[in-house]
Amino acid sequence: MSNRIPVGLVGVTGYTGMELARILAGHPGLELVSVTSRKEAGKRLEDIYPFLRGTGPGALEISLPSPRELASRCRLVFLAVPHKTAMEMADALLCENVKVVDLSADFRINDKAVYEQWYATEHTRAHRLEEAVYGLPELYREEIVSADLVANPGCYPTSAILGLCPVLARGLVETDGIVIDSKSGTSGAGRKAKVGSLFCEVHDSFRAYGLGTHRHTPEIEQELSKAAGASLTVSFNTHLLPIDRGILSTIYTRLRPGTDLETVRAAYGEQYHGEPWVRVLPEGTLPETRWVRGTNFCDIGVVLDSRTNRLIILAAIDNLCRGASGQAVVNANLMLGLEPAAGLQAAPLMP
Amino acid sequence: MSNRIPVGLVGVTGYTGMELARILAGHPGLELVSVTSRKEAGKRLEDIYPFLRGTGPGALEISLPSPRELASRCRLVFLAVPHKTAMEMADALLCENVKVVDLSADFRINDKAVYEQWYATEHTRAHRLEEAVYGLPELYREEIVSADLVANPGCYPTSAILGLCPVLARGLVETDGIVIDSKSGTSGAGRKAKVGSLFCEVHDSFRAYGLGTHRHTPEIEQELSKAAGASLTVSFNTHLLPIDRGILSTIYTRLRPGTDLETVRAAYGEQYHGEPWVRVLPEGTLPETRWVRGTNFCDIGVVLDSRTNRLIILAAIDNLCRGASGQAVVNANLMLGLEPAAGLQAAPLMP
Amino acid sequence: MSNRIPVGLVGVTGYTGMELARILAGHPGLELVSVTSRKEAGKRLEDIYPFLRGTGPGALEISLPSPRELASRCRLVFLAVPHKTAMEMADALLCENVKVVDLSADFRINDKAVYEQWYATEHTRAHRLEEAVYGLPELYREEIVSADLVANPGCYPTSAILGLCPVLARGLVETDGIVIDSKSGTSGAGRKAKVGSLFCEVHDSFRAYGLGTHRHTPEIEQELSKAAGASLTVSFNTHLLPIDRGILSTIYTRLRPGTDLETVRAAYGEQYHGEPWVRVLPEGTLPETRWVRGTNFCDIGVVLDSRTNRLIILAAIDNLCRGASGQAVVNANLMLGLEPAAGLQAAPLMP
Amino acid sequence: MSNRIPVGLVGVTGYTGMELARILAGHPGLELVSVTSRKEAGKRLEDIYPFLRGTGPGALEISLPSPRELASRCRLVFLAVPHKTAMEMADALLCENVKVVDLSADFRINDKAVYEQWYATEHTRAHRLEEAVYGLPELYREEIVSADLVANPGCYPTSAILGLCPVLARGLVETDGIVIDSKSGTSGAGRKAKVGSLFCEVHDSFRAYGLGTHRHTPEIEQELSKAAGASLTVSFNTHLLPIDRGILSTIYTRLRPGTDLETVRAAYGEQYHGEPWVRVLPEGTLPETRWVRGTNFCDIGVVLDSRTNRLIILAAIDNLCRGASGQAVVNANLMLGLEPAAGLQAAPLMP
């Protein structure tokens, strides 16, 4: 009998669900004991994901348990379902005294009105907003440790917030006029069958989308405003890359008078000292998305364009791992008293 | 006023329809005057295909004409619709005295019973089978010139038949035991929204499918049997490549006693002498799918593996152009008395 | 005997030389009669580029003529050689009274000192700078028509200048604080064998490079300053895409007080009215690099992010065609009195 | 202080060296203590491979130790150097009583003459051939456990041998006429800077190479002949896929009279029962290279094409992991008395 802690996963047919199953397959302290999918119930996980054959979760039967049943079997449940569905499930599970890591956006935005404006739907479980902790370990480790409900950060926000916090928190850059030019791999578009995500529509091409209107904007502004200690607005814009995984955010800021690159580099060193998952690259080295592939790393590079006095910050993550399921596992590790890095120690897959 | 010949296109939302629109945009002798799509009627072509803005067909309004209306406006109609739908439309159009190039499989198989077995549906217009000409110009140019109905060949069969005919017709290889190992780009899977064709399901991966069961098998066997003068069976097997366009068929045959590579090479030289679209590569040069990208070329390489006495034939085409719409335009050119190469003279797009 | 105008190409082993050969293969008014390469002299073009077999230039023998020999055979010569080599060849050819389109950077920068600073080499033919015309047809058509020496624009600058000119020339955006975030396909890195350009180093990944230091910066600033009527500085930053061809520049500007999106859209309409190669996309449609693949089009989209009052301009080109060889052919067409679009009428290759 | 077993790696700048470093970064029982590279000596591993920052091996300094120095520090050394160099190093290390896993071809071919014919070089350490064990654990586990020198199998042979052994060993298929049509990702071409491996030469394309002449042929025939108990010859042919990692071999055999698919499937079940790294897929499921990405799995699918009585066997591996460095680590585990799967338990990276 395993003495790993039993956990459940609701929603396994999307890429974040698939990624959670992959990570949990090699986790020494967590055991995936329940996998939920309306569409695939009755099959074994390896029937829909043959790559999981021969791993622990492969043989697991996909089922459709009630919240109560889930709670009786699991100490923690990961929700990899669409927003709105997530808020209801999270609430039901919390009522059954099981911990929840919600990968949707439902509990990320502290302000109900802001959520409702950007997501164009009513927040029906707003009474849970206060207890929800924003699951970015570098900023909220202590709160996560004692949380019952963690709102797992969005992929783009993870890169933008980790990239900007050190300089905003220390007042090294102007808080207005920040531009975040982000590029994401196609797994970020989900696993739904739609023409725009077909291989022949994405491959060998590149395009922008959702300029100035992406739903991750309020999440980014909320956390950056907290870091800066003042409300700020960013121009956040997204592009689709013909790669499976990876986000690179190129962030344009203006250096405040009296600051220099050395001070900036010291700020990053100080902020992320001892953090296992943030790698501040040496001067002259710029991040590549493949260097973080399959891992929880966030690689950060900073460049000073002295002709225009702009500080350019580059932040790269794997959108499925650090930007979703890997971060969810770190949060679960913290909530359950495990080693934070458990299950996430494989080096990046290169090439 | 244009004095180009007016033609119509039924079915424009798939990749073969898109490719026809692309080719006809630059055709000096054909003018696309009608584009049909149930789903997109009322829009202009450039609304659904912004890449066609600023080209002739871009401004064309997509409509849903009756066969009679189509016939009144066009001298020839291309059918880029699913099989079964195609047979009915072709028949209706022929009754209105308009020429038809059918890109579906409906009139490729001479034997109604064979068609019905492989396509698992009744052939309701079998009386048209006899007049239909198999539209492979290197084999049936004369018949195409005087045809009213051309059955445009399948993509895989085009590569296999062009690759094998010279040696089968001359009895240089054994007719049994032929293996055709084909690999196709993903546009061959169509433009329908399905999970299996998503970028993240195809990219950076490779797989086989439909081993021994692909519907192009009877079409290949029909034409190869004619070439060999005897009924033959092939093992035809297909794979999915993470590229947009391109088919490479690797064909394994056994050299007949008394034959050698020189004789084989002479056979190819003789068969394709003067053919503008078949390039027999010099010894030591093997085809690459990108060398034919966007064109009507079929590149052929032959290698003798003397250790096993196998003659290995490689045939590469662009599945959308030579394997579908480009070949359809050549057929239309021939049927309408135009220069065969009209509209197809752009060099391959490299890289 | 052809009555096309004979032209020459110096430097054929790189991607811009390859692209010139591709375009000229289908050009109705220009005949490629001389191809130069030190490394490959003695071979036929189709020996090094089998994709050109069966096209006119394929059979051409690669040679190493003197400038005088070249001039005796050609009316115009394209230079697709590295900078520095180009300035010397251009001067020698001009002395022999042959027209020159130089694809290198050698005659793009009007100010010798600026050139020497960014390219870290002496400009030894600076007396030719004044007569050189910057070959962007939308801005300098008249001058190109009568020029003997055209400096063909860089790939990134073509996208940035076409994207920004309409609003800078009309004073609709602030001239300071402009950020140009550009992404280019890998053919822009050239065809030299280097580890960083290997398939396994580029595929399924994305990275920034040359932040704030790219040599195209002074070229962009020169032309934008002219358009704005005042010296300006931009933050220009580049990224490497895992695609063959294509540049997308995302350009961030601040709208001037009293201006709105309607005025901006009118400016683009006015500036590019009647221009065959610039497509201003309708509201809501954003460019994709594949929509211009293989063509001379520049697709432009504009978006107003009203939360931050930023005007975001997107400009997409094919870096090899519009960003190099296609534009060179348009320039040659203009210099030789041909139809501007000759040889460039194929629709984009999709998908 | 670590009580992991110290091991060394000679040759780290190629993809197999890189992959070994990646795997060893997460190995619980082996510690990489020495990394050798002539070209990069003096740098730290993370200087040339930033993706390894923050992992154990990242901080390791690359050096150039003598065999004696290496032997004093390591219990086992992996050789990831070109053939010929490998045979000399292996011999020198064995003389110093350190175990060796050689990833080159130097000790794979039992017959010196065959090696010398295919590799066109003298075998100067042929006295070591007898003690060398062919490192395919499913076939030679016992011998590996007690070996000092393991010849790590080639990538293609691993797929072909695992795919064919069960049916050849049981006489279920004819031994003549076997065709192995293999396709490999581009990392198999190595990390040397050459034009043919550039992104723009490989991406969005597909081609065959080395038909009938690949150096892995004698290795495949040697092992298959042993399995069949009779000397046999195969037609082995290779293709280049535009993917980073992965081999799929499509293997064509003829079923012997009196055999059927059920017997065949039973043979695979029996042969690989209890083997952790071979997954025989259920009927109807065919392997995809991505399902084994980053792992030591070999996925096998079998299909009977009853029209032609051909048994088609599909075998997929990751060429860098199972086809090289992952298998090398399994061999090291066995040679050093560790758990065979140590360091290799991560699930495949999907997508």
Side-chain angles (χ1 to χ4, degrees):
Chain A
M1 228 194 73
S2 159
N3 46 21
R4 291 183 291 158
I5 300 173
V7 297
L9 164 57
V10 178
V12 73
T13 55
Y15 287 124
T16 55
M18 188 194 278
E19 175 77 347
L20 265 165
R22 177 186 79 85
I23 297 169
L24 294 174
H27 199 296
L30 298 179
E31 182 176 9
L32 187 58
V33 298
S34 174
V35 185
T36 300
S37 160
R38 214 179 317 236
K39 229 171 53 192
E40 306 285 4
K43 296 183 187 161
R44 285 176 310 163
L45 199 48
E46 68 188 33
D47 294 337
I48 64 165
Y49 294 145
F51 76 96
L52 286 179
R53 294 179 70 82
T55 71
L60 203 60
E61 193 183 311
I62 302 170
S63 61
L64 256 177
S66 68
R68 179 153 302 176
E69 288 168 321
L70 249 181
S72 74
R73 280 190 256 153
C74 306
R75 291 239 334 254
L76 181 146
V77 173
F78 297 97
L79 297 181
V81 293
H83 69 273
K84 192 82 181 182
T85 307
M87 64 175 78
E88 290 156 17
M89 285 202 178
D91 184 46
L93 288 163
L94 289 164
C95 290
E96 302 289 345
N97 294 311
V98 62
K99 289 171 186 284
V100 171
V101 176
D102 174 20
L103 281 83
S104 89
D106 281 351
F107 299 99
R108 293 178 194 157
I109 310 291
N110 305 145
D111 184 331
K112 180 178 186 285
V114 172
Y115 175 90
E116 295 185 337
Q117 177 200 336
W118 284 85
Y119 286 86
T121 189
E122 199 197 339
H123 199 307
T124 59
R125 299 299 186 275
H127 62 285
R128 295 283 185 192
L129 282 174
E130 199 162 336
E131 70 184 283
V133 174
Y134 190 70
L136 200 58
E138 286 80 3
L139 298 186
Y140 300 103
R141 180 171 284 110
E142 294 312 308
E143 294 87 334
I144 296 165
V145 165
S146 55
D148 286 326
L149 171 58
V150 161
N152 209 59
C155 50
Y156 287 121
T158 295
S159 70
I161 297 164
L162 290 173
L164 277 163
C165 263
V167 284
L168 282 175
R170 287 162 185 79
L172 304 183
V173 298
E174 304 291 350
T175 55
D176 68 313
I178 294 174
V179 169
I180 303 169
D181 188 284
S182 292
K183 302 89 177 174
S184 172
T186 303
S187 59
R191 201 159 166 258
K192 228 181 281 178
K194 48 185 176 184
V195 170
S197 298
L198 292 179
F199 179 83
C200 291
E201 306 288 316
V202 172
H203 175 69
D204 206 36
S205 191
F206 182 68
R207 62 180 174 91
Y209 70 98
L211 297 189
T213 62
H214 197 288
R215 283 170 168 177
H216 284 170
T217 308
E219 184 181 342
I220 294 171
E221 292 180 347
Q222 166 182 296
E223 295 303 317
L224 294 186
S225 295
K226 285 184 201 168
S231 177
L232 59 75
T233 302
V234 298
S235 177
F236 170 59
N237 304 288
T238 51
H239 303 74
L240 186 71
L241 285 169
I243 66 175
D244 282 334
R245 297 164 170 250
I247 282 178
L248 183 73
S249 290
T250 310
I251 304 170
Y252 297 96
T253 66
R254 283 168 300 132
L255 215 53
R256 280 219 171 126
T259 314
D260 58 15
L261 186 57
E262 205 178 336
T263 312
V264 165
R265 295 198 62 88
Y268 283 92
E270 184 185 279
Q271 176 104 32
Y272 295 125
H273 178 75
E275 291 293 349
W277 300 125
V278 178
R279 303 190 291 195
V280 182
L281 301 180
E283 231 179 303
T285 301
L286 302 179
E288 310 195 5
T289 61
R290 61 189 186 133
W291 290 347
V292 299
R293 195 191 281 139
T295 74
N296 212 49
F297 286 121
C298 176
D299 281 4
I300 294 178
V302 290
V303 172
L304 180 63
D305 178 5
S306 45
R307 294 176 68 253
T308 62
N309 201 38
R310 282 196 180 277
L311 181 73
I312 307 174
I313 304 156
L314 294 151
I317 61 166
D318 179 322
N319 60 302
L320 287 184
C321 193
R322 173 45 105 112
S325 308
Q327 190 142 269
V329 170
V330 172
N331 284 320
N333 289 342
L334 292 170
M335 294 162 82
L336 296 168
L338 300 174
E339 181 65 32
L344 289 158
Q345 289 176 312
L349 191 72
M350 279 274 295
Chain B
M1 228 193 71
S2 160
N3 46 23
R4 293 183 290 158
I5 300 172
V7 296
L9 164 57
V10 179
V12 74
T13 54
Y15 288 125
T16 55
M18 189 195 278
E19 176 77 347
L20 265 164
R22 178 187 78 85
I23 297 170
L24 294 173
H27 199 296
L30 298 179
E31 182 177 9
L32 187 58
V33 299
S34 174
V35 184
T36 300
S37 161
R38 213 178 318 234
K39 228 171 51 191
E40 305 285 5
K43 295 183 188 162
R44 285 176 309 163
L45 200 46
E46 68 189 32
D47 294 337
I48 64 165
Y49 294 145
F51 77 95
L52 287 179
R53 295 179 70 83
T55 72
L60 203 59
E61 192 183 312
I62 302 170
S63 61
L64 257 177
S66 68
R68 177 152 302 174
E69 288 168 322
L70 248 183
S72 75
R73 280 190 256 152
C74 306
R75 292 239 335 255
L76 181 145
V77 173
F78 297 97
L79 297 181
V81 293
H83 69 272
K84 192 81 181 186
T85 307
M87 67 175 73
E88 290 157 17
M89 283 201 178
D91 184 47
L93 287 163
L94 290 165
C95 289
E96 302 289 344
N97 294 311
V98 61
K99 289 171 186 283
V100 172
V101 177
D102 175 20
L103 281 83
S104 89
D106 282 350
F107 299 99
R108 293 177 195 159
I109 310 291
N110 305 147
D111 185 329
K112 180 178 186 287
V114 172
Y115 174 90
E116 294 184 338
Q117 177 199 338
W118 284 85
Y119 287 85
T121 190
E122 199 197 338
H123 199 306
T124 59
R125 299 298 186 276
H127 62 284
R128 294 283 185 192
L129 283 173
E130 198 162 337
E131 70 184 285
V133 174
Y134 190 71
L136 200 58
E138 286 80 1
L139 298 186
Y140 300 104
R141 180 169 283 110
E142 294 314 307
E143 293 87 334
I144 295 165
V145 164
S146 56
D148 286 325
L149 171 58
V150 162
N152 209 60
C155 50
Y156 287 121
T158 296
S159 70
I161 297 164
L162 290 173
L164 276 163
C165 262
V167 285
L168 282 175
R170 287 162 185 80
L172 304 183
V173 297
E174 304 293 348
T175 55
D176 67 314
I178 294 174
V179 170
I180 303 169
D181 187 283
S182 292
K183 302 90 177 173
S184 171
T186 303
S187 58
R191 201 160 166 259
K192 228 181 282 178
K194 48 185 174 183
V195 169
S197 298
L198 292 181
F199 179 83
C200 291
E201 306 290 317
V202 172
H203 175 67
D204 206 35
S205 192
F206 182 68
R207 62 181 174 90
Y209 69 98
L211 298 190
T213 62
H214 197 288
R215 284 171 168 176
H216 284 171
T217 308
E219 184 181 341
I220 294 170
E221 292 180 347
Q222 167 182 294
E223 296 302 317
L224 294 186
S225 295
K226 286 185 200 167
S231 178
L232 60 75
T233 302
V234 298
S235 177
F236 169 60
N237 305 288
T238 52
H239 304 74
L240 186 70
L241 284 170
I243 66 175
D244 281 334
R245 298 164 169 250
I247 281 177
L248 182 74
S249 290
T250 310
I251 305 170
Y252 297 95
T253 66
R254 282 168 301 132
L255 216 52
R256 281 221 170 121
T259 314
D260 57 15
L261 186 58
E262 205 177 338
T263 313
V264 165
R265 294 198 61 88
Y268 283 92
E270 183 185 282
Q271 176 103 31
Y272 296 123
H273 178 77
E275 292 293 348
W277 300 126
V278 178
R279 304 190 291 197
V280 182
L281 301 181
E283 230 178 306
T285 302
L286 302 179
E288 311 195 5
T289 60
R290 61 188 186 135
W291 290 347
V292 299
R293 194 191 282 139
T295 75
N296 212 48
F297 287 121
C298 176
D299 281 4
I300 295 177
V302 291
V303 172
L304 181 62
D305 178 4
S306 44
R307 295 175 69 252
T308 61
N309 201 37
R310 282 196 179 275
L311 181 73
I312 308 174
I313 305 157
L314 294 152
I317 61 166
D318 179 323
N319 59 302
L320 287 184
C321 193
R322 172 46 105 116
S325 309
Q327 190 143 269
V329 170
V330 172
N331 284 321
N333 288 341
L334 293 170
M335 294 162 83
L336 296 169
L338 301 174
E339 181 64 31
L344 289 159
Q345 289 174 314
L349 191 72
M350 278 274 295
Chain C
M1 229 195 71
S2 160
N3 47 22
R4 292 184 290 159
I5 299 173
V7 296
L9 165 57
V10 179
V12 75
T13 54
Y15 287 125
T16 55
M18 188 195 277
E19 175 77 347
L20 265 164
R22 178 187 78 85
I23 297 170
L24 293 174
H27 199 296
L30 298 179
E31 182 177 9
L32 187 58
V33 298
S34 174
V35 185
T36 300
S37 162
R38 214 178 316 235
K39 228 169 52 189
E40 306 285 5
K43 296 182 186 162
R44 283 176 313 160
L45 201 46
E46 69 189 32
D47 294 336
I48 64 165
Y49 294 145
F51 76 95
L52 287 178
R53 295 179 69 83
T55 72
L60 203 60
E61 191 184 312
I62 303 170
S63 62
L64 257 177
S66 68
R68 178 153 300 176
E69 288 167 322
L70 249 183
S72 74
R73 279 190 257 152
C74 306
R75 291 239 333 255
L76 181 146
V77 173
F78 297 97
L79 298 181
V81 292
H83 69 272
K84 192 83 181 183
T85 306
M87 65 174 78
E88 289 156 18
M89 285 202 178
D91 183 48
L93 287 163
L94 290 165
C95 289
E96 302 288 344
N97 294 311
V98 62
K99 288 172 187 283
V100 171
V101 176
D102 175 20
L103 280 83
S104 89
D106 281 351
F107 299 99
R108 292 177 196 159
I109 310 290
N110 306 147
D111 184 331
K112 180 178 186 286
V114 172
Y115 174 89
E116 295 185 339
Q117 177 199 338
W118 285 84
Y119 287 84
T121 188
E122 199 196 339
H123 199 306
T124 58
R125 298 298 187 275
H127 62 285
R128 294 283 185 192
L129 283 174
E130 200 163 337
E131 72 185 282
V133 174
Y134 190 70
L136 199 59
E138 285 80 2
L139 298 186
Y140 300 104
R141 182 171 283 109
E142 295 313 307
E143 293 87 333
I144 294 165
V145 165
S146 56
D148 287 325
L149 170 59
V150 162
N152 210 59
C155 50
Y156 286 120
T158 296
S159 70
I161 297 165
L162 290 173
L164 277 164
C165 263
V167 285
L168 282 175
R170 287 161 185 80
L172 304 182
V173 297
E174 304 292 349
T175 55
D176 67 314
I178 294 174
V179 170
I180 304 169
D181 187 285
S182 292
K183 302 89 176 172
S184 172
T186 303
S187 59
R191 203 161 166 256
K192 229 181 282 180
K194 48 184 175 184
V195 169
S197 298
L198 292 180
F199 179 83
C200 290
E201 306 289 316
V202 172
H203 175 69
D204 206 35
S205 192
F206 182 66
R207 62 179 172 92
Y209 70 97
L211 298 189
T213 61
H214 197 288
R215 284 172 168 176
H216 284 170
T217 308
E219 184 181 341
I220 294 171
E221 292 181 346
Q222 166 182 295
E223 295 303 316
L224 294 186
S225 294
K226 285 184 200 167
S231 178
L232 60 74
T233 303
V234 297
S235 177
F236 170 59
N237 305 287
T238 52
H239 303 73
L240 186 72
L241 284 168
I243 66 175
D244 282 335
R245 298 164 169 251
I247 281 177
L248 183 73
S249 290
T250 310
I251 304 171
Y252 297 96
T253 66
R254 282 169 301 133
L255 215 55
R256 280 218 171 126
T259 313
D260 58 15
L261 186 58
E262 206 178 334
T263 312
V264 165
R265 294 197 62 87
Y268 283 92
E270 185 186 281
Q271 175 104 32
Y272 296 124
H273 178 77
E275 292 294 349
W277 301 125
V278 179
R279 304 190 292 196
V280 183
L281 301 181
E283 231 176 306
T285 302
L286 301 180
E288 311 195 5
T289 61
R290 62 190 186 133
W291 289 349
V292 298
R293 195 192 281 139
T295 75
N296 212 48
F297 286 121
C298 176
D299 280 4
I300 294 178
V302 290
V303 172
L304 182 62
D305 178 4
S306 45
R307 294 176 71 252
T308 61
N309 201 38
R310 284 197 179 274
L311 181 73
I312 307 174
I313 305 156
L314 294 151
I317 62 166
D318 179 323
N319 60 300
L320 286 184
C321 192
R322 172 45 103 115
S325 308
Q327 190 144 269
V329 169
V330 172
N331 284 321
N333 288 342
L334 292 171
M335 293 161 83
L336 296 169
L338 301 173
E339 181 64 33
L344 289 159
Q345 289 175 314
L349 190 73
M350 278 276 293
Chain D
M1 229 192 74
S2 159
N3 46 21
R4 294 184 288 158
I5 301 173
V7 296
L9 164 57
V10 179
V12 74
T13 55
Y15 288 125
T16 55
M18 190 195 278
E19 175 77 346
L20 264 165
R22 177 186 79 85
I23 297 169
L24 294 174
H27 199 296
L30 298 180
E31 183 177 9
L32 187 58
V33 297
S34 174
V35 184
T36 300
S37 161
R38 213 178 317 237
K39 226 169 54 189
E40 305 286 4
K43 294 183 188 162
R44 284 176 311 162
L45 200 46
E46 68 188 34
D47 294 336
I48 65 165
Y49 293 145
F51 77 96
L52 286 178
R53 295 179 70 82
T55 71
L60 203 60
E61 193 183 312
I62 303 170
S63 61
L64 258 177
S66 69
R68 177 153 305 175
E69 287 168 322
L70 250 182
S72 74
R73 281 190 255 153
C74 306
R75 292 241 333 255
L76 180 147
V77 173
F78 298 98
L79 297 181
V81 293
H83 69 272
K84 192 82 181 183
T85 306
M87 65 175 75
E88 289 157 17
M89 285 202 179
D91 184 46
L93 288 163
L94 290 165
C95 290
E96 302 289 344
N97 293 312
V98 63
K99 289 172 185 284
V100 171
V101 176
D102 175 21
L103 281 83
S104 88
D106 282 350
F107 299 99
R108 293 178 194 158
I109 310 292
N110 306 147
D111 184 330
K112 180 177 186 284
V114 172
Y115 174 90
E116 293 184 339
Q117 177 199 336
W118 283 85
Y119 288 84
T121 189
E122 198 196 341
H123 199 306
T124 58
R125 299 297 187 275
H127 62 286
R128 295 282 184 193
L129 283 173
E130 199 162 336
E131 71 184 285
V133 174
Y134 190 71
L136 200 58
E138 285 81 2
L139 298 186
Y140 300 104
R141 181 170 283 109
E142 294 314 308
E143 294 87 335
I144 295 166
V145 165
S146 56
D148 287 324
L149 171 58
V150 161
N152 209 60
C155 51
Y156 286 121
T158 296
S159 71
I161 297 165
L162 290 173
L164 276 163
C165 262
V167 285
L168 282 175
R170 288 161 185 79
L172 304 183
V173 298
E174 305 291 352
T175 55
D176 68 313
I178 294 175
V179 170
I180 303 170
D181 187 284
S182 292
K183 302 89 176 173
S184 172
T186 303
S187 58
R191 202 160 166 257
K192 227 181 284 178
K194 49 185 175 183
V195 169
S197 298
L198 292 180
F199 180 84
C200 290
E201 306 290 316
V202 172
H203 175 68
D204 206 37
S205 192
F206 183 67
R207 61 181 174 90
Y209 69 98
L211 298 189
T213 61
H214 198 288
R215 285 172 168 177
H216 285 170
T217 308
E219 184 181 340
I220 295 171
E221 292 180 347
Q222 166 182 294
E223 296 302 317
L224 294 186
S225 296
K226 285 184 200 168
S231 177
L232 59 76
T233 302
V234 298
S235 176
F236 169 59
N237 305 287
T238 52
H239 303 74
L240 185 71
L241 284 169
I243 66 174
D244 282 332
R245 297 164 170 252
I247 282 178
L248 183 72
S249 291
T250 310
I251 304 170
Y252 297 95
T253 66
R254 282 168 301 132
L255 216 53
R256 280 219 171 124
T259 314
D260 58 15
L261 185 58
E262 206 177 336
T263 312
V264 165
R265 294 197 61 88
Y268 284 91
E270 184 185 281
Q271 175 104 30
Y272 296 124
H273 178 76
E275 293 292 350
W277 300 126
V278 178
R279 303 190 292 196
V280 182
L281 301 180
E283 231 178 304
T285 302
L286 301 179
E288 311 195 5
T289 60
R290 60 187 187 134
W291 290 347
V292 298
R293 193 191 284 139
T295 74
N296 211 48
F297 286 122
C298 175
D299 280 4
I300 294 178
V302 292
V303 172
L304 180 64
D305 178 5
S306 46
R307 295 176 69 253
T308 61
N309 201 36
R310 283 196 179 275
L311 180 74
I312 307 174
I313 305 156
L314 294 151
I317 61 165
D318 179 322
N319 59 302
L320 287 185
C321 193
R322 172 47 104 115
S325 309
Q327 190 143 268
V329 169
V330 172
N331 284 320
N333 289 341
L334 292 170
M335 294 162 82
L336 296 169
L338 300 174
E339 181 64 32
L344 290 159
Q345 289 175 314
L349 191 72
M350 279 275 294

